[in-house]
Amino acid sequence: MPMSAALGANTTERPCAEAQTAAWFFENATDLFAVVTPAGRFLDVNPAWRATTGWSRESLIGSLIFDIIHPDSRPAADQAVRDLQRLGHASLQMLVAHKDGGWVSLKGHARSGPNGEFMGTLRDVTEETRVTAALAESQKVSQYLSHAAGVGQWWFDPRTETITWSEEWRTMLAEAGVSMSNEADFGRYCHPDDLPGIIAVLERAVDQGEHAAFEHRLSTEAGGWMHVRGHVWAERLDGGRHLLHGISQDVTALAEARDAAVDNDERSRRLIAEAPYALAVFDQDLRYQMASPRWITLFHLEERPFIGYSLAGLGHAPYAKIVEAQQCALAGETIRVAEDTIVDTLGHSYALRWEMHPWRNGSDRIEGVVMYVDDISAIVEARR
């Protein structure tokens, strides 16, 4: 066969093979492919549409894509059409109705075809979107609690001997003129009377994995002291040591209020420094959503399930005023009680100072309530 003929045969066969490969990929890909007219009508889809959304090729071809797009996704879809017409390409992210109910989150890209049609490829990001939303909600709650109660997170890695602060706590420290990234920095800012005990607690946590609560003071740029209450728990690393996860709270205002309320003798100040403080978040149905470690310890919840339960559901008469305050907070009120006596379901009696606040989301909508509790039993007893 002449070389030219051979070359001609190869040239003819190559596009055919490429077309077969493309067709196979179109039919077997897990991503969703679609060809749509400028008016939004499906011209073709691959089988992945049925696997992901329940809609068959036969039911989609000729129908409008806008008929299955969630109303909240329509503005983004309209913008994508404008981008395709103006730029020839666009990013896509939208909610599409599943044939059996519910919504599927799709994300991808589209380009304009040679005849004006739009060709797009999409992937199912429903689970990814759910995780992202859950993370955003968790961060929102964390930020709300941080701003409301001066709470922030931190981590200590013994392998690098570095401290990492959450954005909220780093901001609060910066406002006080405090900048720490390692143990040596911490030693310069920590009150000398507190430092040996704190180092001992952290060393036990690193070496033995002990969970602990502690209090200490940090020197501020203004020449005063920031009073900090912390909780630490440990995550085991290879080699037996532990990465430390901590939550700290600026309790300076509380400490100063207590200092002003009692005598200046050493015993009273020690009782104040050791008085516990706790908080819990309840949803719109007034069910537990989360509670701080101090709350769990204070109300003896370590061995009892409580997330998802409500105080009202316990039918415990002494909680009636707390439940009433929760309902007022749901209506937008803030309730403060300077001194109260509560008996829990196990018969423990507490002298408490507590506050109830509405829990608002980023749109300022009330989604539940936050309760702050300070156990002042020791202070009340010392006054007698």
Side-chain angles (χ1 to χ4, degrees):
M1 177 185 295
M3 182 65 71
S4 60
L7 289 173
N10 288 340
T11 303
T12 303
E13 291 171 2
R14 188 178 300 112
C16 181
E18 290 175 352
Q20 290 175 346
T21 299
W24 183 92
F25 186 71
F26 183 83
E27 293 295 324
N28 293 277
T30 56
D31 284 352
L32 288 70
F33 292 95
V35 182
V36 182
T37 70
R41 293 192 181 275
F42 284 103
L43 291 173
D44 199 6
V45 297
N46 68 334
W49 277 85
R50 183 165 195 165
T52 302
T53 70
W55 299 105
S56 67
R57 174 181 290 172
E58 294 75 20
S59 64
L60 289 176
I61 291 177
S63 66
L64 283 170
I65 189 173
F66 302 111
D67 290 343
I68 60 172
I69 291 178
H70 193 284
D72 291 348
S73 298
R74 183 60 187 267
D78 291 340
Q79 181 60 50
V81 171
R82 290 191 291 271
D83 289 343
L84 284 163
Q85 293 170 339
R86 183 170 59 91
L87 304 172
H89 59 86
S91 296
L92 304 172
Q93 184 158 4
M94 54 190 174
L95 289 173
V96 170
H98 193 283
K99 185 175 182 294
D100 297 329
W103 299 92
V104 180
S105 183
L106 301 178
K107 185 177 183 179
H109 303 275
R111 299 192 69 86
S112 295
N115 299 313
E117 72 277 17
F118 302 148
M119 298 178 291
T121 176
L122 299 156
R123 63 186 178 90
D124 182 359
V125 293
T126 304
E127 180 61 17
E128 178 184 322
T129 301
R130 185 195 67 78
V131 171
T132 300
L135 178 60
E137 180 65 18
S138 175
Q139 291 173 335
K140 180 177 66 177
V141 172
S142 176
Q143 290 171 354
Y144 176 85
L145 294 178
S146 295
H147 289 301
V151 176
Q153 295 176 282
W154 53 270
W155 301 265
F156 175 71
D157 190 335
R159 296 166 298 187
T160 59
E161 297 187 349
T162 56
I163 305 171
T164 304
W165 307 97
S166 68
E167 183 63 31
E168 298 82 11
W169 195 232
R170 186 164 53 248
T171 298
M172 285 184 281
L173 289 175
E175 290 174 351
V178 177
S179 176
M180 300 181 292
S181 61
N182 53 50
E183 186 176 331
D185 290 342
F186 179 78
R188 285 194 293 272
Y189 284 100
C190 187
H191 194 290
D193 291 347
D194 302 335
L195 185 59
I198 298 301
I199 294 300
V201 167
L202 297 181
E203 286 180 347
R204 286 196 301 272
V206 167
D207 295 335
Q208 303 172 29
E210 288 187 9
H211 297 195
F214 54 87
E215 296 186 13
H216 63 91
R217 289 160 287 179
L218 297 173
S219 61
T220 66
E221 191 174 45
W225 294 98
M226 175 190 292
H227 294 251
V228 178
R229 178 174 295 142
H231 299 268
V232 64
W233 63 100
E235 174 188 348
R236 186 177 178 84
L237 299 168
D238 293 339
R241 303 186 84 196
H242 297 80
L243 175 70
L244 303 189
H245 300 257
I247 295 179
S248 290
Q249 180 183 21
D250 179 1
V251 294
T252 304
L254 179 62
E256 291 175 349
R258 290 169 176 169
D259 288 343
V262 297
D263 296 333
N264 289 324
D265 64 277
E266 187 62 28
R267 180 174 179 274
S268 294
R269 286 190 288 108
R270 186 170 61 254
L271 288 174
I272 292 168
E274 294 174 357
Y277 184 85
L279 66 86
V281 178
F282 301 83
D283 63 16
Q284 289 183 325
D285 296 320
L286 301 180
R287 296 172 301 191
Y288 272 111
Q289 289 295 289
M290 63 182 69
S292 69
R294 190 60 64 92
W295 179 287
I296 293 171
T297 301
L298 176 61
F299 292 108
H300 307 280
L301 299 176
E302 295 92 339
E303 305 298 328
R304 293 191 291 165
F306 63 92
I307 298 298
Y309 288 81
S310 68
L311 298 180
L314 297 174
H316 186 53
Y319 288 170
K321 55 188 168 184
I322 302 296
V323 174
E324 183 179 353
Q326 287 180 321
Q327 293 167 342
C328 291
L330 275 180
E333 297 182 38
T334 296
I335 297 90
R336 295 182 174 88
V337 177
E339 186 174 319
D340 197 2
T341 300
I342 296 291
V343 179
D344 68 15
T345 56
L346 297 179
H348 299 104
S349 179
Y350 308 90
L352 303 176
R353 178 188 298 123
W354 56 269
E355 297 183 10
M356 195 79 68
H357 296 259
W359 173 28
R360 300 178 185 273
N361 64 13
S363 302
D364 204 36
R365 184 171 53 122
I366 296 175
E367 292 192 345
V369 300
V370 182
M371 185 173 183
Y372 305 94
V373 173
D374 183 20
D375 185 348
I376 58 172
S377 301
I379 297 174
V380 172
E381 182 64 27
R383 289 203 309 255
R384 294 175 180 170

